[in-house]
Amino acid sequence: MNSTIKHILRFVCLLALQLLLINNLHWLGAFHPYVYVLALLMLPASMPRWVEMFIGAAIGLLMDACCTTAGVHMAACVAVAYLRPLLLGQFVQDTQRIVTQVCTATVGARPFLLTVATLIVVHHALICFLEAWSLEHFGWLLLTTLISSAVTFVLAFLYDRTQQ
Amino acid sequence: MRNLLQFIGKNIHLLLFIALEVVAFLLITHNVAYPRSTTLSAANRIVAGMNEAGDNIVEYFRLRKDNEQLNNEVCLLREQIQLLENQIEKQNEYGLVCDTAQYEYAHLGYRIIPAKVVDITTGQEHNYLTLNKGTRDGLKQGMGVVCGNNVVGVVSRVNEYFALVVPIIHTNINISARVKKNGQLGFTHWEGHNPRYVNLMEIGRHIMVEKGDSVITSGMTATFPEGMMIGIMDKVKLNEGGNYYDIRLRLCTDFRRLRYVQVLNYVYSTELNQLTDEQYD
């Protein structure tokens, strides 16, 4: 129960950070780190997969409403929610044991960082490409994706440090 | 049947994943060009209310910039008052002959509704602004939005309390434009990436234009009166085989600092629409 409240609180804080601060900073006009995805990435691994996907869909829809992007964040978040257990399963033997949250302290540094890095890139790439809805500026979209992902990853890494 | 149930049981997560993605893609295809409703957008009452609340906090940090902007506008208005006063004086001196050309602007018939930007995106290909005024303040779809004398965009969706605006930096909007010095007509097109620049299309190669020329609204549509500033020519290139110039404009509106805007309500729009509709009937 305590852990549920923590997850909700974290999501609210990340959402506020995303909407009030990060969306108002203009990173050279192009780079958009989406840190809110961290709330989805750190959910306990013992969670049933369908619950995780519905949470992903809900978070995505909420972000869509906030950014006027209609479905883009939803698609990206659902993909992340679907892929996360598969990726974690590659690194961690018994995922059901992780009932609090997924972080370095519970799954180990390498599995955590690899999973998070992959999923952040997937998430950001989907958002960039779906929002543009064309491949006209492929190179640019790729660059935006990579730099935004890097910024999000650094923030995720720093946040993870505080969870020791 | 049993096989089918078994298959579903085995792949339940994959199927759920596909179902949710299909919903998301339906939403995207339905809304990506222009939002069809305000419910799933930043003009949603809850989201816009949230943004407004956040804005109230951040507002204090921008007072200096806002003051500067207001000050500039006051100066401009003072100048105009001076001009009109001189006009009246002259009239009184020389009798009742009145130079109506000076009052042209007022006769164009635009009412101004001031509004505040509560949310804005600049980094996407499909950018939007949310304004804190809606139908109860008289806003309607298709009205022009300006900031002082600079073009911002066009109202796309309105609900009772908020409005969604498609800015000039949206890949699907073209605004009719005119080169100020020679009156040549063209239209704007945004390529994405940079919220500071738009392209000016269809200026033929026989026309003399150069860097630094001003581009204004054409007045060909009722959305904007003629003469609102769009941008200054920043790059002018003539391709070897092309019929048109490649022109890049530096926008007069700084979308990253946009705070207060004015919505233009064309008073005679009903009459105008009636006339054009009659023509097509």
Side-chain angles (χ1 to χ4, degrees):
Chain A
M1 198 57 217
N2 205 0
S3 152
T4 314
I5 293 169
K6 191 182 172 188
H7 280 286
I8 292 172
L9 210 65
R10 170 157 55 209
F11 173 64
V12 171
C13 290
L14 282 171
L15 195 70
L17 179 73
Q18 180 76 50
L19 294 178
L20 296 180
L21 186 66
I22 293 182
N23 282 4
N24 287 318
L25 294 176
H26 304 288
W27 310 70
L28 301 173
F31 309 121
H32 293 267
Y34 293 107
V35 293
Y36 77 92
V37 74
L38 203 58
L40 195 55
L41 293 174
M42 294 183 86
L43 287 175
S46 61
M47 183 172 268
R49 290 185 65 186
W50 64 274
V51 174
E52 199 177 334
M53 271 190 266
F54 275 117
I55 292 177
I59 291 177
L61 269 179
L62 185 61
M63 275 308 287
D64 278 329
C66 296
C67 303
T68 321
T69 45
V72 172
H73 285 272
M74 183 185 170
C77 286
V78 170
V80 166
Y82 176 72
L83 291 174
R84 198 185 70 129
L86 297 180
L87 266 170
L88 272 178
Q90 299 290 315
F91 303 116
V92 185
Q93 293 299 321
D94 182 20
T95 50
Q96 290 306 312
R97 154 184 82 76
I98 302 154
V99 290
T100 49
Q101 59 174 3
V102 169
C103 66
T104 303
T106 53
V107 297
R110 196 167 153 272
F112 175 75
L113 294 178
L114 272 174
T115 313
V116 163
T118 320
L119 291 176
I120 285 176
V121 172
V122 168
H123 179 258
H124 285 50
L126 277 172
I127 288 178
C128 275
F129 282 87
L130 289 179
E131 201 281 317
W133 202 244
S134 81
L135 295 174
E136 208 185 322
H137 309 292
F138 185 82
W140 169 261
L141 291 174
L142 208 62
L143 183 74
T144 314
T145 303
L146 290 178
I147 296 181
S148 309
S149 305
V151 175
T152 309
F153 180 74
V154 169
L155 291 173
F157 178 77
L158 291 176
Y159 179 71
D160 179 54
R161 295 273 105 182
T162 66
Q163 298 292 304
Q164 302 295 333
Chain B
M1 192 63 196
R2 233 181 69 193
N3 282 346
L4 183 70
L5 284 178
Q6 231 168 17
F7 175 78
I8 291 175
K10 232 188 225 168
N11 294 303
I12 185 82
H13 293 122
L14 184 65
L15 291 174
L16 179 64
F17 167 67
I18 292 170
L20 287 172
E21 288 290 352
V22 166
V23 172
F25 273 79
L26 282 178
L27 281 173
I28 297 172
T29 49
H30 200 62
N31 287 299
V32 74
Y34 287 114
R36 299 266 192 272
S37 78
T38 49
T39 319
L40 201 69
S41 75
N44 172 309
R45 222 178 127 185
I46 301 165
V47 176
M50 215 162 71
N51 276 325
E52 216 174 6
D55 206 62
N56 285 338
I57 305 167
V58 189
E59 202 169 34
Y60 294 103
F61 298 106
R62 304 186 189 163
L63 283 178
R64 183 188 292 256
K65 269 261 145 43
D66 289 347
N67 279 338
E68 253 169 52
Q69 200 188 333
L70 286 175
N71 196 22
N72 286 342
E73 230 156 274
V74 167
C75 291
L76 210 79
L77 290 174
R78 282 232 176 96
E79 248 170 56
Q80 276 174 0
I81 291 175
Q82 198 71 48
L83 209 79
L84 290 173
E85 268 176 1
N86 289 345
Q87 194 74 28
I88 293 169
E89 234 168 72
K90 252 189 230 159
Q91 251 182 63
N92 292 341
E93 243 173 82
Y94 299 117
L96 285 169
V97 185
C98 176
D99 181 7
T100 48
Q102 289 288 333
Y103 301 107
E104 197 180 22
Y105 200 77
H107 281 290
L108 287 173
Y110 286 89
R111 290 268 151 73
I112 296 173
I113 307 164
K116 197 169 120 189
V117 178
V118 289
D119 185 46
I120 182 166
T121 62
T122 54
Q124 303 169 358
E125 305 246 326
H126 305 105
N127 290 309
Y128 293 100
L129 268 74
T130 313
L131 305 182
N132 69 343
K133 294 279 167 81
T135 45
R136 63 171 183 166
D137 308 289
L139 261 64
K140 281 195 211 91
Q141 194 178 350
M143 285 182 180
V145 181
V146 295
C147 176
N149 200 28
N150 304 332
V151 170
V152 174
V154 179
V155 175
S156 153
R157 287 278 153 188
V158 206
N159 60 22
E160 204 183 341
Y161 300 96
F162 297 99
L164 209 60
V165 174
V166 177
I168 198 167
I169 51 164
H170 184 292
T171 45
N172 292 2
I173 193 176
N174 300 314
I175 288 177
S176 177
R178 189 193 279 286
V179 182
K180 195 176 181 184
K181 72 172 179 189
N182 55 22
Q184 267 317 309
L185 286 172
F187 60 87
T188 65
H189 171 73
W190 193 58
E191 280 207 315
H193 311 350
N194 200 332
R196 281 188 190 159
Y197 300 99
V198 290
N199 293 341
L200 180 64
M201 315 300 283
E202 295 207 336
I203 298 295
R205 62 183 299 143
H206 60 283
I207 294 150
M208 299 288 282
V209 287
E210 58 189 5
K211 192 178 161 178
D213 285 353
S214 302
V215 175
I216 55 177
T217 52
S218 67
M220 290 288 163
T221 57
T223 315
F224 298 104
E226 186 176 349
M228 307 303 278
M229 280 300 290
I230 294 176
I232 311 278
M233 285 189 196
D234 175 68
K235 253 188 204 165
V236 180
K237 212 173 80 186
L238 199 51
N239 280 337
E240 199 62 31
N243 286 327
Y244 300 111
Y245 281 98
D246 286 340
I247 300 175
R248 193 173 80 160
L249 304 179
R250 191 162 47 75
L251 286 169
C252 292
T253 311
D254 187 351
F255 281 93
R256 296 172 195 179
R257 298 223 165 78
L258 203 57
R259 306 278 299 127
Y260 295 94
V261 295
Q262 295 86 40
V263 182
L264 300 176
N265 178 11
Y266 187 55
V267 189
Y268 306 119
S269 59
T270 341
E271 284 83 351
L272 186 73
N273 288 340
Q274 209 178 354
L275 206 62
T276 43
D277 285 348
E278 264 170 30
Q279 197 184 359
Y280 290 117
D281 275 346

